Amino acid sequence: MRLPRRWLGHISGAGIWLAASVLFGWWFGSVAWALVAALVLYIIYMLHNLYILDRFIDGAGRMPLFDTKGLWPEIVARADRIKSRARQRKKRYNRLLREVRESTGAISDAGIILNADFEIVWFNKAATKLLGLDSRRDIGARIDNLLRHPDFVNYLAAPEGSSIMIPPPNQPNGALHIQLIPYNKNQQLAIIRDITREAQLERMRRDFVANASHELRSPLTVISGYLDTLADDEEMPESWQVPVSEMLRQSHRMTQILGDLIELTRLEAADTVTHADFINVCDLLREIAGEFEGREKSPQLTLHLEADSALVGAESELHSIFYNLINNAVRFTPDTGSVDVYWRADGDQAVFDVVDTGIGIPAELIPRLTERFYRVDAGRSRATGGTGLGLAIVKHALQRHGGELEIDSVEGQGSRFSCRFDAKHVAVRRGAAENVI
Amino acid sequence: MEVEDLGQHISRRFNEDLESVRSAVLQMGGLVETQFDSAIQALAEGDSELGLKVAQDDYKINQAEVSIDEQCSRILATRAPAASDLRLIIAVIKAITDLERIGDEAERIGVLASRLAAVERPSTNYRELRNLASHVKKMIQGTLDAFARLDADEALKVVKADDVVDEEYESIYRQGLTFMMEDPRTISRVVDTTWAARSLERIGDHCKNICEYVMFMVYGKDIRHTTLESIEAEFASDGRAKEQSS
């Protein structure tokens, strides 16, 4: 290590000073005393400069040093440089912080930073507006003490899915969209967006479809009523018989579509079933299979009831799930093929499968199947008499029963539609009593 | 405000226990709030299914009460809390009884709503009731916020707001009397409406009680059965004394 020049200068200066004092002492015959005096002076000099440096670092003004060049002035100058650099950096950070604060304040979404115990660390202005938080008192408070909606509390404890929707605390008709984003180790950022308007639009759309379907149904009933009478009329000229029966068929189809639309809007209106019963799935499936038995020209339908788990849910909705899936399989399977229906347990879950040897679905179209009125082959499915809403109904009804729809298919060889019900909605006979609500 | 210094205990577990009791009460409060909202929605929209669901779900609130009660007994038995901690536990034990009652009243409103959904609705569509309900809703919210923040001012505000609720209940009652005298066919509906208003008024009273416990928790003084003026005078002087001492 090489000493810097200022230190060499200082040390050599001190050496000269000591040598001079020794020489001086030797001249007067008292080397020791002269050395002591020189060292005392040196210590005073050092302490004085140290004191000035200390004061300077503390923020007092710059006091004059004994010397203008050498080690000490340089140290003070360097301290000055460091200080002013720190000051500049602080200014820059402050500006940055202010800008960040202002910009987060301007964001219309509320942001709240939470620590591991869900205590509020920081929130922006929008949070004050949306949730009625108070920046003076609520820092450090637990968020679920102030935002007490049970859905939110449950979501906080066990985040299922990416986000939830709750009404804001101060207006029950609104809607808030809340998303928790974990970051760092234990911190979380809650982003809260006011979606009252979107929710309203969504409700308007739903109401519109429901109302329109209801309104269309009454005139249609009249039309199909008259067509029924006309079709039965024996005096009708031959040339009219084909058109009338075609009109009758189409009006029935329209009634069916409207019925499905109304069913679908009803399912969409709520996420959960309001009245849940125990549904004996085996009996239900036997009943549905019975409906297909009498039909001419249909593929072989076989039931495989491997479990006797019951489901907790609404019977009409479960019926339409099972019926629609079996009906689809039967419709798209040639008469020589077969349709196998399975009801089985998988751990705590229960699974319903429909396996057919039908025409299958191209893989790239599978994600679109549950869209309303989506048809893989428009001509064919109309010929077999579907409404185009069956799978959409299945999807929504399944959601309400904690189920998931999985579709596997190979074109030309057949398909498998599986409904997997989560443990919460499944009641195994033995433990049924525990799940009674 | 000694109660806020919950962080001063030697035993960390004790702090956590106290905090968790407080959170449990507020979560129970959240449940009560949603039940109340649903009951009022059922009433306003004539949704009998929702009304019955409220009646069905009351068991959740009862369960919460029992479990919090147990927690409190356990803390009393194992920690023997003193001073502000003891006040917190006492206030919690009392407050959950009132919260449970609020839940019961909401259940009753739910049942009434499902019954009222079946009969013809008045032209006002129960505007007075909805108005009263929005007052009461604010009271419930204010109560729980006061409890969460240990805010005696907010609690005092809620106590004051109870007068408005009482007045409105009175006017709904009188209005009902005139309806019944004018047209006896409305009697069954008006009786049900009055019962609903009565339940709302009772909820207001329960909120007031809880707020009194909050003030007890914060100041350590029992203010039940005293007039508003004396409460205000006492706490105003208390506040000044505190300002001077700090």
Side-chain angles (χ1 to χ4, degrees), chain A residues 92-114:
Chain A
R92 209 165 55 231
Y93 284 146
N94 271 340
R95 204 170 50 230
L96 198 68
L97 198 65
R98 205 171 49 236
E99 276 169 13
V100 169
R101 274 235 182 101
E102 276 169 6
S103 57
T104 52
I107 294 173
S108 60
D109 293 358
I112 303 175
I113 294 177
L114 303 172

Side-chain angles (χ1 to χ4, degrees), chain A residues 42-61:
Chain A
Y42 179 70
I43 287 170
I44 288 174
Y45 164 77
M46 287 300 249
L47 279 178
H48 173 260
N49 284 351
L50 209 58
Y51 173 74
I52 287 174
L53 182 69
D54 185 45
R55 289 284 309 274
F56 178 68
I57 289 171
D58 260 2

Side-chain angles (χ1 to χ4, degrees), chain B residues 34 39 61 89 97 100 120 132 135 150 200 202-203 218 224 245:
Chain B
T34 15
I61 297 178
I89 297 294
T97 318
E100 196 268 331
E120 196 197 342
L132 178 58
H135 271 293
L150 294 170
L200 289 172
R202 292 295 306 153
I203 292 178
V218 175
R224 282 175 298 172
S245 70

Side-chain angles (χ1 to χ4, degrees), chain A residues 375-400:
Chain A
R375 290 158 200 274
V376 174
D377 178 351
R380 182 185 201 114
S381 56
R382 247 179 236 129
T384 52
T387 59
L389 292 167
L391 282 179
I393 290 179
V394 168
K395 185 180 133 201
H396 279 284
L398 264 180
Q399 269 171 8
R400 282 157 63 93

Side-chain angles (χ1 to χ4, degrees), chain A residues 97-362:
Chain A
L97 198 65
R98 205 171 49 236
E99 276 169 13
V100 169
R101 274 235 182 101
E102 276 169 6
S103 57
T104 52
I107 294 173
S108 60
D109 293 358
I112 303 175
I113 294 177
L114 303 172
N115 66 11
D117 296 327
F118 303 125
E119 286 165 356
I120 299 171
V121 178
W122 173 89
F123 56 82
N124 67 358
K125 258 189 219 149
T128 316
K129 218 177 72 196
L130 279 184
L131 307 172
L133 295 181
D134 183 338
S135 56
R136 276 169 301 145
R137 289 182 302 185
D138 293 341
I139 300 285
R142 284 184 57 146
I143 180 97
D144 51 349
N145 286 0
L146 298 166
L147 219 59
R148 292 174 293 259
H149 197 281
D151 290 355
F152 176 68
V153 175
N154 292 340
Y155 174 63
L156 211 55
E160 263 180 51
S162 60
S163 62
I164 55 155
M165 257 174 58
I166 59 164
N170 38 20
Q171 56 175 107
N173 294 327
L176 293 179
H177 176 270
I178 302 183
Q179 192 179 8
L180 280 179
I181 305 164
Y183 71 99
N184 267 356
K185 219 187 251 159
N186 287 321
Q187 293 204 305
Q188 300 200 72
L189 175 64
I191 304 264
I192 299 159
R193 207 149 45 88
D194 186 0
I195 51 160
T196 307
R197 217 182 119 63
E198 285 92 324
Q200 260 168 5
L201 282 174
E202 180 67 19
R203 191 172 324 140
M204 265 167 60
R205 183 188 66 81
R206 251 190 348 237
D207 288 353
F208 172 75
V209 174
N211 290 338
S213 323
H214 270 294
E215 293 299 322
L216 285 171
R217 200 147 67 155
S218 353
L220 200 60
T221 318
V222 179
I223 294 175
S224 55
Y226 277 116
L227 284 172
D228 264 335
T229 346
L230 274 179
D232 291 344
D233 194 351
E234 284 168 8
E235 288 170 21
M236 200 166 52
E238 191 112 346
S239 59
W240 278 100
Q241 265 168 14
V242 176
V244 166
S245 70
E246 180 62 22
M247 273 149 81
L248 187 62
R249 224 165 57 80
Q250 293 299 339
S251 74
H252 278 317
R253 219 170 81 82
M254 243 163 115
T255 319
Q256 227 176 24
I257 293 176
L258 288 179
D260 278 1
L261 269 178
I262 291 169
E263 169 83 3
L264 199 55
T265 33
R266 200 182 58 75
L267 291 177
E268 264 187 327
D271 295 335
T272 51
V273 181
T274 37
H275 284 294
D277 289 319
F278 281 98
I279 310 299
N280 186 336
V281 177
C282 295
D283 286 352
L284 187 62
L285 288 177
R286 281 192 203 104
E287 190 191 313
I288 295 172
E291 290 177 40
F292 288 93
E293 245 165 39
R295 293 192 187 180
E296 286 171 37
K297 285 209 289 177
S298 71
Q300 180 65 37
L301 179 67
T302 323
L303 285 183
H304 304 267
L305 304 174
E306 293 166 10
D308 66 347
S309 323
L311 283 177
V312 182
E315 179 160 15
S316 61
E317 289 170 26
L318 290 172
H319 181 278
S320 69
I321 294 174
F322 299 147
Y323 180 84
N324 274 311
L325 288 178
I326 297 176
N327 192 27
N328 276 352
V330 170
R331 267 171 45 212
F332 292 107
T333 306
D335 307 342
T336 51
S338 68
V339 174
D340 292 283
V341 177
Y342 295 89
W343 176 242
R344 56 191 171 89
D346 182 7
D348 288 345
Q349 299 177 326
V351 184
F352 168 79
D353 293 307
V354 180
V355 184
D356 64 41
T357 56
I359 54 171
I361 307 145

